[in-house]
Amino acid sequence: MAAPGARGRSLSGLLPAQTSLEYALLDAVTQQEKDSLVYQYLQKVDGWEQDLSVPEFPEGLEWLNTEEPISVYKDLCGKIVVLDFFTYCCINCIHLLPDLHALEHTYSDKDGLLIIGVHSAKFPNEKVLDNIKSAVLRYNITHPMVNDADASLWQELEVSCWPTLVILGPRGNMLFSLIGEGHKDKLFLYTSIALKYYKDRGQIRDNKIGIKLYKDSLPPSPLLFPGKVTVDQVTNRLVIADTGHHRILVVWKNGQIQYSIGGPNPGRKDGIFSESTFNSPQGVAIMNNIIYVADTENHLIRKIDLEAEKVSTVAGIGIQGTDKEGGAKGEQQPISSPWDVVFGTSGSEAQRGDILWIAMAGTHQIWALLLDSGKLPKKNELTKGTCLRFAGSGNEENRNNAYPHKAGFAQPSGLSLASEDPWSCLFVADSESSTVRTVSLKDGAVKHLVGGERDPMNLFAFGDVDGVGINAKLQHPLGVTWDKKRNLLYVADSYNHKIKVVDPKTKNCTTLAGTGDTNNVTSSSFTESTFNEPGGLCIGENGQLLYVADTNNHQIKVMDLETKMVSVLPIFRSENAVVDGPFLVEKQKTLPKLPKSAPSIRLSPVTACAGQTLQFKLRLDLPSGSKLTEGVSSCWFLTAEGNEWLLQGQIATGDIENIFSQPTISLQIPDDCLSLEAIVSISVFLYYCSADSSACMMKAILFSQPLQITDTQQGCIAPVELRYVF
């Protein structure tokens, strides 16, 4: 199919019509009204004299997760396509991935939907295919992806920011665009109605696209994308965030694992070590056998008690928050993508470790969690458990200011504390501004240390230049650690693949180790050493050793600051710990107890014969503005008390991923019936939150379906609709 004549290829051509649609949707009350408005919009756009057509993918681009390059006007003809313009460093792009995963789980290419990632790099390092491959593995991206290294598609469509979604019709015709994160409901609404609209016209094809996952070629490794590392100064044990395996490792200084907690699959569960799960954990801090974890993709701060061997949640509600002020108790306070944590002191008592500082990458701020009652600089007394913003307006910018709430950060990703005078500050690796900043522990003032430039809105002032202050250039630094023995700060300059050292007194920044080459040299001198996107680092052995989480090399590197040699820490199992984590066996879910308040609905009897299949269509409506809780499985169960033979070999439970696309539950009457009458029960449990995520709830309902089984052949039985409005 040849590309049709274009009506102009930029997204601006969609703007007038889509803006009118979105205003109309604001006034729509019911789901039916919303569906109808989108359907009418598609009729209008589909009736344009010429399609607003997307350009063909240029030849010679590098593809991942496909058997061969994909063509818009050959392979994608007859598909609804979601183009995800993203760059893998961007926290907003990372926030969008769960929405895309949920969409893929709901619709496949067989249904007529395909998602394609269009990687349009911000930093030069992100143009390199090997680095994109690592990101594909790290974020478990399973849809096709193309490396638009020169941003040719980005420029042709006049895309303006990351992330941007462009939804295409079956002719490569642009239908919608969604800019930024937080549009899951619109994404599902637009794609589901587009599928219906074009299916009604016979234009959807169910051909499969050749998928070949890059992750299937990955050899097993003791570590997978370790993000952060810290040291227990009392025992010299290391705590490693084994991010790709979704677990925390506690290892002795020889590399032998003492504890493996979580993994290898993502999850969100507190409890004993063998049951606990994490989702892409990053920052770790340890003191007195207690570890605090930035459980990044669960949007939680978790606490590991090594003596009790238990994991608990101390901040966050498990859903990405948008609150930029905070002030609630930790477990009631929504937070967003915490990336690093470090202990601090309130000042009321020296070295108590009663504050946990948090690099809150998702809202571009520095937060504090009060581990005991105490005071923050210029704050009144705060009670234990309070979690609140300390510095950063929430705007993504490189803005320094004497007033901490007026300062701006751009995805802060690494923290280190220098509590002693004259420093008395937090050092912050501010990744998207390519700077290192300081936050005063006395008054909260935010100041520049190295990197970036003076314009607070310019987040493209990056490079690889040794120098002083603003003349030094970094590229997406992710980690910092303070060496109080030498009064020096070490920086994981991630995208330059180097470890840099900064003298905060002179603001001089120089390369300590790393050639900039990503080839993995396992043992060498500082000058010959190599790293690949190092994400975290810490000081141990009384200032002699610098441990580095060499993220894309899946290793912990050990830098001896006295001999100037680099080696690899071997990670190996002991009898009591498993390197690859306890693989989660899919367990049969147990039926939860129905709340007393759950409504019980008895349906009209249905007559069926052996071999017939009954279908139950869930049609449940949540309160207006509510949405299903991410990370918690809403689910359904089939039971037949006293007639369990009815369910043998059948699928008796399942998840509800999307309130706009609820499942149809099937029940086939067995050939050998032990009774001519039975009651089948369908129990449904919905976990949902209000639109502002201020409250989360669980609702349940029980439907009872009487069955009369006959020998007489029955005609086709209409699906049974299970309707209820909560």
Side-chain angles (χ1 to χ4, degrees):
M1 175 180 172
R7 231 179 144 255
R9 290 188 165 180
S10 80
L11 294 179
S12 58
L14 283 175
L15 194 59
Q18 191 174 332
T19 301
S20 297
L21 168 66
E22 291 181 350
Y23 275 121
L25 285 171
L26 292 174
D27 296 327
V29 177
T30 67
Q31 190 59 49
Q32 189 175 2
E33 286 178 301
K34 294 176 183 178
D35 293 353
S36 177
L37 284 168
V38 177
Y39 202 91
Q40 291 167 24
Y41 166 88
L42 287 171
Q43 288 176 318
K44 177 181 177 181
V45 171
D46 206 43
W48 285 344
E49 190 174 330
Q50 282 187 314
D51 285 338
L52 188 60
S53 58
V54 73
E56 181 61 271
F57 294 117
E59 289 187 15
L61 295 186
E62 300 163 314
W63 286 82
L64 291 170
N65 289 341
T66 62
E67 292 176 347
E68 57 187 7
I70 287 176
S71 161
V72 173
Y73 296 102
K74 179 183 172 187
D75 304 302
L76 302 183
C77 178
K79 301 288 186 198
I80 301 300
V81 180
V82 179
L83 298 179
D84 173 26
F85 286 86
F86 79 111
T87 185
Y88 71 78
C89 73
C90 165
I91 193 67
N92 311 94
C93 301
I94 296 169
H95 287 164
L96 187 62
L97 289 175
D99 297 352
L100 297 178
H101 288 319
L103 189 64
E104 288 175 293
H105 190 75
T106 306
Y107 304 106
S108 68
D109 54 355
K110 194 101 176 124
D111 300 310
L113 182 84
L114 190 71
I115 297 170
I116 295 180
V118 183
H119 192 271
S120 305
K122 170 182 176 179
F123 294 99
N125 182 71
E126 293 173 339
K127 297 181 180 183
V128 180
L129 185 65
D130 281 345
N131 298 336
I132 299 172
K133 286 178 179 177
S134 294
V136 165
L137 295 171
R138 202 156 58 230
Y139 299 119
N140 193 30
I141 297 171
T142 55
H143 50 254
M145 215 173 81
V146 62
N147 181 13
D148 186 24
D150 296 323
S152 55
L153 282 173
W154 171 285
Q155 290 165 5
E156 274 207 65
L157 294 181
E158 296 180 10
V159 176
S160 59
C161 73
W162 300 278
T164 293
L165 299 179
V166 181
I167 302 175
L168 309 179
R171 304 185 299 272
N173 49 318
M174 288 190 275
L175 303 176
F176 306 93
S177 69
L178 294 169
I179 297 173
E181 59 171 299
H183 303 299
K184 183 178 181 180
D185 290 348
K186 281 185 184 176
L187 173 63
F188 273 82
L189 175 64
Y190 293 168
T191 51
S192 62
I193 301 303
L195 284 167
K196 174 176 169 46
Y197 175 85
Y198 285 106
K199 274 181 183 172
D200 290 348
R201 283 152 181 74
Q203 295 181 33
I204 296 296
R205 290 167 48 183
D206 63 359
N207 59 301
K208 291 193 73 64
I209 303 296
I211 300 294
K212 184 179 180 183
L213 296 183
Y214 174 66
K215 71 177 183 178
D216 292 342
S217 66
L218 188 73
S221 168
L223 297 175
L224 187 64
F225 302 108
K228 301 288 184 184
V229 60
T230 194
V231 66
D232 181 354
Q233 300 293 351
V234 176
T235 64
N236 284 326
R237 289 177 299 182
L238 290 177
V239 181
I240 302 167
D242 189 10
T243 308
H245 283 142
H246 308 285
R247 65 177 177 172
I248 303 299
L249 295 181
V250 180
V251 305
W252 299 109
K253 60 182 179 180
N254 64 351
Q256 184 184 41
I257 297 172
Q258 182 187 15
Y259 297 104
S260 175
I261 311 156
N265 303 310
R268 175 197 164 196
K269 185 172 175 58
D270 288 340
I272 61 175
F273 283 3
S274 60
E275 296 178 350
S276 301
T277 52
F278 300 87
N279 192 349
S280 299
Q282 287 282 346
V284 280
I286 183 170
M287 184 183 293
N288 300 328
N289 277 322
I290 300 292
I291 301 169
Y292 287 92
V293 181
D295 193 5
T296 304
E297 293 195 19
N298 275 328
H299 310 287
L300 298 174
I301 302 297
R302 311 286 289 282
K303 175 183 174 182
I304 299 174
D305 188 325
L306 294 179
E307 291 182 358
E309 297 194 353
K310 285 190 176 180
V311 176
S312 57
T313 296
V314 293
I317 61 172
I319 302 169
Q320 181 194 338
T322 56
D323 184 0
K324 295 179 180 179
E325 296 288 339
K329 290 291 184 183
E331 291 153 283
Q332 284 86 49
Q333 176 61 57
I335 60 176
S336 179
S337 297
W339 210 275
D340 203 6
V341 288
V342 67
F343 287 109
T345 300
S346 66
S348 55
E349 220 176 284
Q351 301 303 317
R352 279 201 323 170
D354 56 358
I355 294 173
L356 190 73
W357 297 108
I358 306 167
M360 203 69 75
T363 55
H364 313 290
Q365 294 172 314
I366 306 301
W367 281 49
L369 173 66
L370 276 293
L371 303 178
D372 203 346
S373 297
K375 290 180 69 172
L376 294 179
K378 306 245 174 157
K379 292 275 185 184
N380 295 326
E381 189 79 14
L382 296 165
T383 58
K384 180 179 179 179
T386 305
C387 187
L388 74 168
R389 176 263 300 255
F390 178 58
S393 63
N395 298 324
E396 187 176 9
E397 54 190 14
N398 174 22
R399 189 178 299 278
N400 301 299
N401 202 292
Y403 296 96
H405 291 183
K406 291 186 177 181
F409 296 91
Q411 208 170 306
S413 302
L415 293 176
S416 191
L417 183 80
S419 57
E420 65 275 18
D421 286 330
W423 319 112
S424 190
C425 70
L426 277 170
F427 292 105
V428 181
D430 198 38
S431 60
E432 282 292 288
S433 67
S434 295
T435 63
V436 175
R437 324 268 287 282
T438 63
V439 182
S440 170
L441 296 176
K442 294 180 177 178
D443 57 14
V446 177
K447 297 179 181 178
H448 170 269
L449 186 61
V450 293
E453 68 132 292
R454 289 185 176 84
D455 179 358
M457 304 307 293
N458 182 8
L459 302 183
F460 288 80
F462 54 81
D464 184 8
V465 180
D466 289 352
V468 176
I470 216 159
N471 294 318
K473 291 291 179 274
L474 307 167
Q475 189 182 175
H476 200 71
L478 286 176
V480 283
T481 192
W482 175 243
D483 180 353
K484 64 181 179 181
K485 178 179 175 181
R486 301 175 182 84
N487 285 335
L488 295 174
L489 183 75
Y490 302 104
V491 182
D493 192 4
S494 182
Y495 284 4
N496 284 326
H497 315 292
K498 293 179 178 180
I499 305 302
K500 304 238 173 126
V501 58
V502 178
D503 181 342
K505 188 174 182 181
T506 63
K507 292 193 173 186
N508 190 40
C509 175
T510 57
T511 299
L512 179 68
T515 62
D517 190 349
T518 57
N519 292 329
N520 191 20
V521 178
T522 56
S523 183
S524 64
S525 66
F526 280 13
T527 54
E528 297 172 336
S529 60
T530 60
F531 302 90
N532 192 340
E533 294 194 12
L537 66 182
C538 67
I539 288 278
E541 299 292 325
N542 296 316
Q544 181 182 341
L545 301 180
L546 183 64
Y547 295 97
V548 179
D550 194 6
T551 303
N552 285 2
N553 279 328
H554 316 294
Q555 293 172 333
I556 301 298
K557 295 268 178 71
V558 185
M559 298 174 58
D560 191 316
L561 296 171
E562 294 178 5
T563 66
K564 310 294 183 189
M565 293 297 293
V566 181
S567 59
V568 174
L569 182 72
I571 303 295
F572 61 98
R573 71 182 75 222
S574 66
E575 291 181 3
N576 300 321
V578 181
V579 171
D580 290 326
F583 277 83
L584 300 175
V585 177
E586 192 66 37
K587 295 179 182 176
Q588 185 68 31
K589 289 182 182 172
T590 55
L591 176 65
K593 187 175 181 180
L594 278 164
K596 289 182 180 178
S597 61
S600 179
I601 298 176
R602 190 175 178 90
L603 304 166
S604 301
V606 168
T607 301
C609 65
Q612 271 194 307
T613 298
L614 304 179
Q615 290 192 321
F616 301 95
K617 290 187 172 182
L618 288 178
R619 295 288 186 269
L620 306 177
D621 285 336
L622 295 176
S624 178
S626 300
K627 57 184 179 181
L628 291 183
T629 304
E630 294 179 26
V632 181
S633 294
S634 294
C635 51
W636 57 265
F637 293 84
L638 267 180
T639 53
E641 189 172 347
N643 290 284
E644 285 76 9
W645 55 270
L646 262 174
L647 304 182
Q648 283 193 357
Q650 314 245 19
I651 297 174
T653 182
D655 291 337
I656 302 170
E657 301 279 351
N658 176 16
I659 201 67
F660 301 124
S661 180
Q662 297 174 38
T664 297
I665 302 165
S666 296
L667 171 66
Q668 185 174 26
I669 307 298
D671 291 330
D672 298 320
C673 296
L674 304 183
S675 173
L676 298 181
E677 291 188 352
I679 295 179
V680 173
S681 298
I682 302 103
S683 308
V684 184
F685 299 83
L686 294 179
Y687 298 85
Y688 67 93
C689 294
S690 57
D692 60 2
S693 298
S694 61
C696 293
M697 290 146 277
M698 188 277 278
K699 295 284 187 184
I701 187 168
L702 173 67
F703 296 94
S704 298
Q705 176 64 71
L707 295 180
Q708 295 172 350
I709 302 171
T710 177
D711 293 333
T712 309
Q713 192 69 32
Q714 300 292 303
C716 184
I717 303 174
V720 179
E721 293 204 337
L722 307 181
R723 291 187 177 274
Y724 193 80
V725 178
F726 287 102

